[in-house]
Amino acid sequence: MSKDIITITNNRDNKSYEFPILDASVGPSVVDISTFYKETGMFTYDEGYTSTASCQSKITYIDGGAGKLMYRGYDIAYLAKEKTFLDTAYLLLHDDLPSAEQLKAYEGEITKRSFVNEGIKKLFDSFPDQAHPMAILSAGVSALSTFYFDHLEIDDKDEYQEMSNRIVAKIPTLAAFSYRYSNGLPIIYPDMNKGFTENFLNMLRAYPHSYVDLKPIEIKALDTIFTLHADHEQNASTTAVRNLASTMAHPYAAIAAGIGALWGRSHGGANESVIRQLEMIGTVDRVDEFIAKAKDKNDSFRLMGFGHRVYKNFDPRATVLKEIRNELMTELGISSELVAVAEKIEKIALSDEYFIKRGLYPNIDFYSGLILQALKIPKEMFAVIFVIGRTPGWIAQWSELSKQKTVKIARPRQLYTGPTERTPEY
Ligand code: CMC
């Protein structure tokens, strides 16, 4: 840590205050303003936390300018191409990549916990057909704490391990059940002979006594999507999970809060919007018309799947997914009008001055929507897929905060702009 300081002068009374600068291992330094209110009598104001680091973390690093994303120091492209989602989950939860033996043991631990208590089915039975799978999943995860309350001593390493494995293992099962129940379809139980991602696709797409015949590229494509979503430092849903962790809430409650935050269309819902927009455009000959709308300052229309708050040159997750999308489409022989529309939009936008000048490149959602559709996953399940991927990241972030020596409850202050004290009328 450097001993550098930043000096702030209040020109109202000409007083100066000093605050320490803390250095990151890589990336921007921060100004430690934890004593700001005590010293100055003022709060700082940063709506949407655009300039605020809310915690110290060793899990994920993003460099938006360079298009870099690393989990515990490993580049996302390496993890997505060379490792599986469970390797990545292990890395996030145990600080290091597993050896071949450790991975085998971890896969076994996850597989054997993939069934959920039969009682949960009664809860799912009570939801009407067409209930949104995200709503059912959120209720199902909250309900886990009513069935599995024997491991609530999260300070105990073994108990933490049990809880962590249980959540990673059961979320795909609850996710698949959510879809089956919301569509009035028979549920398919986990198959203990299948790997994590293949098992999930089977629970989603199979029928009783008939397995789906999945191509390796289909499993690889979904596994890659899970890996690329596994963590993204202090995004909105992770911040929700950390806020709950700061109150010492139980992890099942914290994960349910993360699901709630992720459901919003500004967060986990964007890839669904990409597909809806491609369907609205419909045919290749209408692309120019919509590109013109996106560039028109008087039109609020935006090209979904383009641009990112943090990545301004390219989204490294999109680069990986573009390759997988191409491979998947070729192997499955998919050449729909929708794909042609997407390819034309991509081509124009990557060479158009408007998009280049503003750093608007295809983001992860531009490609993930098309991949999920090719995997026959319905649109209402897109955010649910995101949840399965993000779960290890949420648990890792929850655990990192919970294991701190002292945990400060998240309690921001405000700039009050309401009425001053009113005189009551008697
Ligand atoms: N289509 C057309 N113009 C755009 C778009 C777009 N998709 N995105 C930004 N712009 C323009 C915007 O009009 C503005 O132009 P000008 O400077 O002339 O006023 C400029 O680019 C900067 O836009 P901004 O809204 O200030 O940028 P932001 O960083 O606040 O917004 C964003 C980022 C992702 C919300 C935005 O690019 C967007 O709405 N994209 C479409 C939705 C989308 O794909 N969302 C998924 C994001 S990835 C999810 C994840 O990582 O979890």
Side-chain angles (χ1 to χ4, degrees):
M1 300 271 173
S2 81
K3 295 208 171 67
D4 293 336
I5 51 154
I6 199 162
T7 306
I8 291 171
T9 304
N10 181 349
N11 71 5
R12 288 179 175 175
D13 58 10
N14 248 352
K15 272 193 184 164
S16 289
Y17 306 90
E18 291 182 344
F19 297 95
I21 297 175
L22 310 181
D23 287 331
S25 53
V26 53
S29 302
V30 302
V31 180
D32 179 355
I33 55 160
S34 48
T35 60
F36 194 91
Y37 175 58
K38 209 159 111 193
E39 291 190 36
T40 68
M42 287 186 282
F43 299 132
T44 57
Y45 178 63
D46 180 19
E47 202 174 317
Y49 307 130
T50 53
S51 298
T52 297
S54 61
C55 62
Q56 294 191 30
S57 181
K58 292 181 166 58
I59 303 171
T60 290
Y61 174 70
I62 302 174
D63 180 340
K68 199 156 188 63
L69 168 61
M70 298 189 301
Y71 298 159
R72 300 218 185 260
Y74 287 102
D75 190 83
I76 192 68
Y78 164 73
L79 293 170
K81 288 179 186 172
E82 308 294 333
K83 299 289 170 186
T84 65
F85 173 62
L86 282 192
D87 276 308
T88 305
Y90 188 100
L91 170 69
L92 290 169
L93 294 162
H94 298 266
D95 305 357
D96 278 315
L97 279 168
S99 64
E101 255 174 39
Q102 286 168 324
L103 179 63
K104 199 158 182 274
Y106 185 52
E107 285 167 346
E109 294 297 324
I110 297 301
T111 300
K112 78 180 185 212
R113 288 173 181 78
S114 55
F115 281 78
V116 291
N117 188 298
E118 284 289 294
I120 284 193
K121 290 187 346 200
K122 287 192 209 120
L123 173 76
F124 280 23
D125 262 336
S126 62
F127 296 118
D129 276 4
Q130 306 306 318
H132 198 287
M134 278 293 267
I136 304 180
L137 179 62
S138 166
V141 172
S142 291
L144 283 181
S145 57
T146 67
F147 290 95
Y148 305 101
F149 49 84
D150 52 330
H151 287 102
L152 297 185
E153 288 307 322
I154 44 160
D155 297 335
D156 180 305
K157 198 164 172 277
D158 293 337
E159 301 219 348
Y160 160 71
Q161 202 45 63
E162 174 58 34
M163 176 280 302
S164 163
N165 287 346
R166 190 174 267 163
I167 296 180
V168 172
K170 293 186 194 307
I171 288 243
T173 309
L174 291 176
F177 283 11
S178 304
Y179 168 67
R180 308 293 298 208
Y181 274 94
S182 83
N183 286 278
L185 297 168
I187 56 162
I188 303 295
Y189 283 109
D191 180 338
M192 305 202 54
N193 297 310
K194 292 189 191 306
F196 183 90
T197 301
E198 183 183 6
N199 185 35
F200 172 69
L201 270 174
N202 192 64
M203 288 191 287
L204 206 61
R205 282 173 40 183
Y207 281 86
H209 313 298
S210 68
Y211 291 117
V212 276
D213 191 14
L214 293 166
K215 289 195 161 58
I217 182 69
E218 294 183 87
I219 300 165
K220 175 64 187 164
L222 185 58
D223 202 73
T224 305
I225 287 185
F226 288 154
T227 299
L228 295 174
H229 284 93
D231 200 49
H232 215 220
E233 53 125 291
Q234 306 313 316
N235 58 86
S237 58
T238 300
T239 299
V241 169
R242 276 191 175 256
N243 278 355
L244 261 79
S246 82
T247 71
M248 303 291 157
H250 192 271
Y252 296 117
I255 301 295
I259 293 174
L262 193 77
W263 195 0
R265 67 166 187 256
S266 300
H267 193 3
N271 49 9
E272 186 178 334
S273 313
V274 170
I275 293 295
R276 289 195 193 283
Q277 190 170 87
L278 292 175
E279 285 171 347
M280 180 183 77
I281 299 172
T283 48
V284 171
D285 58 308
R286 297 188 68 204
V287 168
D288 290 334
E289 178 195 331
F290 283 91
I291 294 273
K293 273 168 79 63
K295 289 161 62 173
D296 183 355
K297 282 282 115 212
N298 300 316
D299 194 326
S300 61
F301 177 85
R302 281 191 169 198
L303 265 193
M304 298 311 288
F306 279 80
H308 196 276
R309 172 62 63 83
V310 181
Y311 300 117
K312 293 301 177 195
N313 288 319
F314 64 95
D315 179 341
R317 304 166 299 172
T319 310
V320 176
L321 278 195
K322 183 178 177 177
E323 278 177 38
I324 285 275
R325 180 204 64 175
N326 293 345
E327 243 180 280
L328 183 73
M329 300 291 169
T330 310
E331 279 209 35
L332 297 186
I334 296 176
S335 59
S336 66
E337 184 73 12
L338 218 59
V339 175
V341 169
E343 280 172 351
K344 183 163 179 196
I345 291 175
E346 186 185 348
K347 201 164 161 209
I348 295 180
L350 286 175
S351 57
D352 188 298
E353 179 64 15
Y354 174 92
F355 294 91
I356 294 171
K357 208 172 124 203
R358 290 168 180 76
L360 301 171
Y361 295 87
N363 58 46
I364 187 171
D365 295 310
F366 186 69
Y367 299 109
S368 63
L370 283 168
I371 292 176
L372 294 175
Q373 205 176 48
L375 294 174
K376 303 191 182 80
I377 295 176
K379 288 190 278 285
E380 69 272 21
M381 282 297 284
F382 287 7
V384 171
I385 300 291
F386 195 155
V387 169
I388 299 173
R390 186 55 55 87
T391 297
W394 284 335
I395 304 171
Q397 300 270 354
W398 173 90
S399 159
E400 186 176 66
L401 185 143
S402 304
K403 285 178 184 160
Q404 282 173 202
K405 271 197 207 98
T406 50
V407 175
K408 268 203 170 311
I409 189 166
R411 176 53 171 98
R413 300 303 300 268
Q414 61 176 11
L415 175 65
Y416 176 69
T417 56
T420 53
E421 189 165 357
R422 290 176 172 177
T423 311
E425 285 174 23
Y426 295 102

